[in-house]
Amino acid sequence: MLIKRRRGWEIPESEATPESLFRDRRRIVKAFAAGPILLAGAKALGALDFAAMAQETDPSAKLYPAAPNMKYKVKLPLTPEKDVTTYNNFYEYGSHKQISSAAQQLQIRPWTVKIDGMIEKPMTVGIDDLLKAMPLEERTYRHRCVEAWSMKVPWTGFPLKSLVDYAKPLGSAKYLEMKTFVDVKMAPGQRSFWYPWPYTEGLTIEEATNELAFMVIGLYGKPVPKQNGAPLRLAVPWKYGFKSVKSIVSFTFTDKRPKTFWEALQASEYGFWANINPEVSHPRWSQAQETDLGTQEKIPTVLFNGYGEYVADLYKDLKNEKLWA
Ligand SMILES: Nc1nc2c(c(=O)[nH]1)N[C@H]1C(S)=C(S)[C@@H](COP(=O)(O)O)O[C@H]1N2
Ligand SMILES: [Mo]
């Protein structure tokens, strides 16, 4: 069987979405089940080393390793690299976890990033030029998906604050909106027209300039594999994983709260803030525990994913907002 059976504890985001989405999921499963050629391909892919592939083809490979920043570390052990790179959410490549081979279609060069909106001077910058201007480091963070699984990953990247400073926002800017590419030729999942492409996420400027907000360009000391959001993705570890938008092509400074992908799809279940809180259940499941991807152990979920000392203050005057989902 090609599509791994869902593990008992898994709750896919797609289960919480309209019926049309669920029908599409079944269609995908059927299509896979029908293909012996696909099956052989998938077996071969199981043996590939994605990180090594990224290393060979990615011009940013020469930037590694970046110095570890020991301020941001986790309780060991880390999640095995293989789990991090073969169990993914990236709806541009399908609404299931085994998208790592499909994601190899993503073309990561040339890659330009647009920075616009309420800033001194809107600009477009090539990813390699942008990286030259950013202070790279390695940080180890926890990552907790709203579906109640989690992992611990050494990311390479730079503080989002460095990009905000580089952009020189005007005082009127209140939010930063971030978008993934749109290109059905390299992301077949985007043919599913009922999703509100492009994948869009947003933070307040205060959140974006918080020291924890991190732009990821690598993991495990190598360029980030395509399935994990090459060449540039966000990591905001105190929020549910869907806030950490992948393969970003634009940063827009605005005074309007961005309408995010999941909020546009299902506002009753996924909001703008999405801060992690074990006491606030998703409408259809508890958030009290999470399954650690590496060990498969159930562990208690912690408020702000354990990062409260860095971020709790951001929310103290926002009690009327739906901060937790
Ligand atoms: N563009 C895009 N970004 C995305 C997603 C997606 O489907 N598309 N999924 C999100 C979700 S739900 C999670 S949990 C994380 C998963 O990141 P990982 O595959 O590196 O673990 O990416 C987030 N960023
Ligand atoms: Mo997620």
Side-chain angles (χ1 to χ4, degrees):
M1 175 108 170
L2 175 59
I3 299 278
K4 258 197 305 191
R5 271 188 67 152
R6 197 190 298 156
R7 299 174 207 177
W9 46 265
E10 287 179 18
I11 312 150
E13 265 130 333
S14 55
E15 250 184 24
T17 52
E19 211 208 333
S20 59
L21 305 191
F22 210 26
R23 268 205 302 268
D24 176 59
R25 196 183 131 80
R26 279 208 296 267
R27 203 156 61 223
I28 291 165
V29 171
K30 248 201 257 158
F32 270 109
I37 301 164
L38 280 173
L39 184 66
K43 274 201 187 122
L45 271 162
L48 284 180
D49 180 344
F50 288 115
M53 275 170 52
Q55 186 86 334
E56 270 165 36
T57 55
D58 189 324
S60 73
K62 59 183 181 303
L63 302 173
Y64 295 83
N69 184 338
M70 296 313 288
K71 184 169 177 196
Y72 310 102
K73 44 186 197 276
V74 299
K75 196 160 152 246
L76 298 174
L78 298 175
T79 304
E81 185 177 339
K82 190 168 174 296
D83 292 321
V84 175
T85 58
T86 57
Y87 186 87
N88 303 99
N89 270 330
F90 201 167
Y91 275 58
E92 285 80 347
Y93 294 97
S95 56
H96 53 91
K97 308 296 167 198
Q98 286 72 40
I99 55 80
S100 52
S101 54
Q104 303 315 306
Q105 299 168 73
L106 171 59
Q107 297 302 313
I108 56 169
R109 292 297 185 286
W111 191 275
T112 46
V113 177
K114 202 169 75 178
I115 309 177
D116 64 4
M118 297 173 152
I119 61 175
E120 274 182 21
K121 201 158 120 270
M123 57 182 123
T124 301
V125 56
I127 182 76
D128 296 300
D129 289 331
L130 178 67
L131 297 187
K132 272 185 218 148
M134 295 293 126
L136 300 184
E137 60 181 54
E138 183 177 271
R139 300 179 175 196
T140 307
Y141 276 170
R142 291 184 292 280
H143 171 94
R144 204 288 196 180
C145 176
V146 74
E147 299 165 336
W149 53 266
S150 66
M151 58 189 193
K152 294 177 277 185
V153 189
W155 303 115
T156 299
F158 54 89
L160 177 53
K161 181 176 189 308
S162 299
L163 187 140
V164 172
D165 292 346
Y166 177 85
K168 302 199 180 75
L170 306 177
S172 48
K174 295 198 163 36
Y175 299 94
L176 175 57
E177 179 179 70
M178 289 158 272
K179 290 192 163 123
T180 300
F181 69 89
V182 185
D183 184 343
V184 294
K185 290 198 297 299
M186 62 180 188
Q190 292 181 335
R191 294 213 181 91
S192 298
F193 58 85
W194 50 86
Y195 288 110
W197 311 113
Y199 198 100
T200 301
E201 262 303 337
L203 298 170
T204 64
I205 299 295
E206 290 74 25
E207 290 176 324
T209 53
N210 182 274
E211 64 174 274
L212 279 186
F214 198 57
M215 291 310 311
V216 167
I217 67 158
L219 58 78
Y220 272 94
K222 289 165 275 196
V224 64
K226 293 175 177 180
Q227 61 271 30
N228 295 92
L232 187 65
R233 64 89 61 89
L234 180 67
V236 277
W238 70 98
K239 292 177 178 286
Y240 290 116
F242 65 84
K243 296 293 296 182
S244 290
V245 46
K246 294 177 166 178
S247 304
I248 299 172
V249 293
S250 73
F251 295 84
T252 302
F253 291 81
T254 164
D255 57 1
K256 289 182 192 60
R257 183 179 294 183
K259 176 71 103 212
T260 69
F261 179 87
W262 285 102
E263 194 184 7
L265 203 56
Q266 195 81 328
S268 59
E269 305 199 342
Y270 307 101
F272 173 77
W273 298 98
N275 294 310
I276 294 168
N277 187 338
E279 287 175 9
V280 179
S281 296
H282 183 277
R284 296 184 315 98
W285 61 82
S286 164
Q287 295 291 23
Q289 290 190 319
E290 64 206 54
T291 301
D292 175 70
L293 267 197
T295 62
Q296 297 288 299
E297 272 167 29
K298 282 216 163 152
I299 53 176
T301 291
V302 180
L303 185 64
F304 292 118
N305 205 17
Y307 294 101
E309 62 174 303
Y310 298 98
V311 297
D313 273 1
L314 291 171
Y315 307 104
K316 60 181 190 310
D317 299 325
L318 294 170
K319 297 285 186 267
N320 295 328
E321 295 280 342
K322 238 183 102 196
L323 290 172
W324 312 111

